[in-house]
Amino acid sequence: MDELPFPEGARVVAYLRDSGGREQDQSTLQQREAIGRWCVEHGLILSRVFEDAARSGTKIAGRDNFIGMMDYFSNHPREKGVIFWELSRFSRDYNDCQYYLSDLRRQGFTVHSLTDNIPPGLDGQMLESMKIWMNAKYIEDLKKNIKRGLRYITDVHHAKLGVIPVGYHGEPKQIGTRRDGSPHIINVLVPDPDTAPLVHKAFEMRSQGATFMEIDAQLHLFKTIWAYSKMLKNLRYLGEYQGIENYCEPIVDKQLFDEVQLVNKQHASHFGINHPRVSRSRFYLSGLIYCNRCGKRMYANSTQHTGKPRYDYYICTSGSTVSCGSKRIPKLEIENLILEKFRYMLMRPDTLRDLYDAIPKQQSNLNVEKEANKDRITAQIRVVKGQITNILKAIKDTGHSRSMLADLQSLEGRQLELEGQIVSLEMKPAKTKQPKFDDLITQVEPYLKDLTDKEKGVILRSFIDSIQVEKKDGILIGAIGWIFRVDDNEENIVIPLPL
């Protein structure tokens, strides 16, 4: 009998996971039974079980019992380690799997896969790493194949993907037969005779300057008026989708669509000058402020209790689903801080100029790092080519097997991936020009005193791209993305600086 990874009579933990799919080869119940029998056969005490049923192994988020297990081990329990069915049940993400296995081992716990047959010692660690890589590679290839298949039926057969836009309905279309002989049916978009004329009317009204509220009052296409913003930018109403022309029958023509985009731009300028809500709102950072923790947009809100003053604040939009843990950002506190930073920038234009002048040096450092990465990837390509040569030699000498062909295909894919990384590293970055820093002062001098909320919003949107913020230990932290205008170039440069 092989040497046991645990001493006889040891207490152990089991971790169970399945994906919940119809083709699941081992459910959590089957895993529990198999691990339980193995523990009995080898004189071990299975004292605790952590189970994540119908949970993907590609990420840790959402696997509450996995996180609970790691917390449990961090409190130095009596158990000697953890048993799981196979490495792919522990995690299919390469970095996550390596990290959490190493974390458990560093704390002195043993991890054991029931079916991967990993020997002890250095050779076993190498085999374990290869299996973890193969599990991650399987998911990566599966995602590519799924995307490739979806892209094919979209490009060639113009299949309907996602939610059907208002104005269309799905119509079945046979594009062939499946392997079992059954017809292969997809849905394609066809204008709906009842709602398509209403969509066309919405575009016409918008082209004449109508607001979303005015359009909704007449057409009632959506439950919320902000859905019109998305609809009036949707290229599928032109018959296009993800670069595919003639994807479906258009509802509006190109001239009408372009006229609507011009009106949209005038109503919702990046600078906020003509945006009705921004102009009227006392929350003049709306649209600029994002959560520093999860990156989602923060929205404005107010609360007021009887006999107490109103409390205005910004809060992360993730709070309506799964909270990222960020706290409320008081309106006055963040707005006063941003104005203070803005005034400081105006008084110190040399600081901005020095920052911009430092970009070539930063680019030089990036070039050094880029060359190091190219050398590292080139070395990996040599190793992969050597492995391919060895497999080809073995096939020539002894014939091929399914596993050898699978390894060869995997290595060839890895070579192409690495060569693609080399091509990306060799692409030259675009050159930038010196921005007009002096314009910062001349454009805002008339507004430096007695600013209204509307003027504050207009000015800040002219110079700030976004604000990342969170409150930690009672202090606002994050960064401001400052917009730099560039000579003879329509694009801007955004440089983030700490709050």
Side-chain angles (χ1 to χ4, degrees), residues 259-321:
E259 289 174 356
V260 169
Q261 305 320 302
L262 181 60
V263 173
N264 288 340
K265 186 176 181 180
Q266 292 171 345
H267 277 258
S269 167
H270 173 77
F271 304 129
I273 296 173
N274 297 319
H275 197 292
R277 287 189 69 191
V278 172
S279 298
R280 295 191 297 266
S281 176
R282 65 180 184 276
F283 292 90
Y284 54 81
L285 294 184
S286 293
L288 292 179
I289 188 166
Y290 294 80
C291 176
N292 193 50
R293 288 197 173 192
C294 68
K296 290 188 177 181
R297 191 186 297 273
M298 305 191 87
Y299 65 90
N301 205 358
S302 296
T303 58
Q304 187 168 17
H305 300 286
T306 304
K308 294 184 178 181
R310 181 179 59 202
Y311 175 57
D312 295 334
Y313 58 91
Y314 296 90
I315 189 168
C316 177
T317 53
S318 68
S320 60
T321 53

Side-chain angles (χ1 to χ4, degrees), residues 203-245:
F203 274 87
E204 285 183 338
M205 293 178 66
R206 186 62 168 177
S207 69
Q208 297 167 9
T211 65
F212 298 153
M213 191 173 296
E214 291 168 341
I215 296 172
D216 184 66
Q218 183 171 337
L219 303 178
H220 307 292
L221 288 174
F222 300 101
K223 293 181 179 179
T224 169
I225 63 171
W226 303 116
Y228 290 96
S229 174
K230 186 175 182 180
M231 184 194 81
L232 293 168
K233 299 174 185 175
N234 195 334
L235 288 171
R236 276 184 279 193
Y237 294 113
L238 270 181
E240 300 177 12
Y241 179 64
Q242 293 187 355
I244 304 171
E245 296 183 358

Side-chain angles (χ1 to χ4, degrees), residues 4 6-14 31-49 82-83 112 114:
L4 287 177
F6 303 97
E8 187 174 356
R11 297 166 63 92
V12 294
V13 164
Q31 294 171 40
R32 182 190 293 263
E33 292 175 349
I35 293 175
R37 286 195 305 269
W38 188 84
C39 288
V40 171
E41 291 170 3
H42 296 89
L44 302 176
I45 302 172
L46 183 57
S47 57
R48 196 175 182 95
V49 176
V82 58
I83 303 173
H112 179 65
L114 206 61

Side-chain angles (χ1 to χ4, degrees), residues 186 340 392:
I186 63 171
E340 179 186 342
L392 291 175

Side-chain angles (χ1 to χ4, degrees), residues 7-35:
E8 187 174 356
R11 297 166 63 92
V12 294
V13 164
Y15 176 71
L16 319 173
R17 184 192 67 80
D18 66 26
S19 300
R22 289 179 295 178
E23 299 180 358
Q24 185 70 56
D25 59 340
Q26 285 290 335
S27 67
T28 54
L29 178 60
Q30 293 169 311
Q31 294 171 40
R32 182 190 293 263
E33 292 175 349
I35 293 175

Side-chain angles (χ1 to χ4, degrees), residues 361-378:
K361 183 179 180 180
Q362 296 173 10
Q363 187 64 51
S364 176
N365 294 336
L366 289 175
N367 289 336
V368 173
E369 182 179 348
K370 183 186 294 185
E371 291 300 320
N373 285 336
K374 285 175 59 178
D375 292 342
R376 176 179 55 81
I377 296 172
T378 301

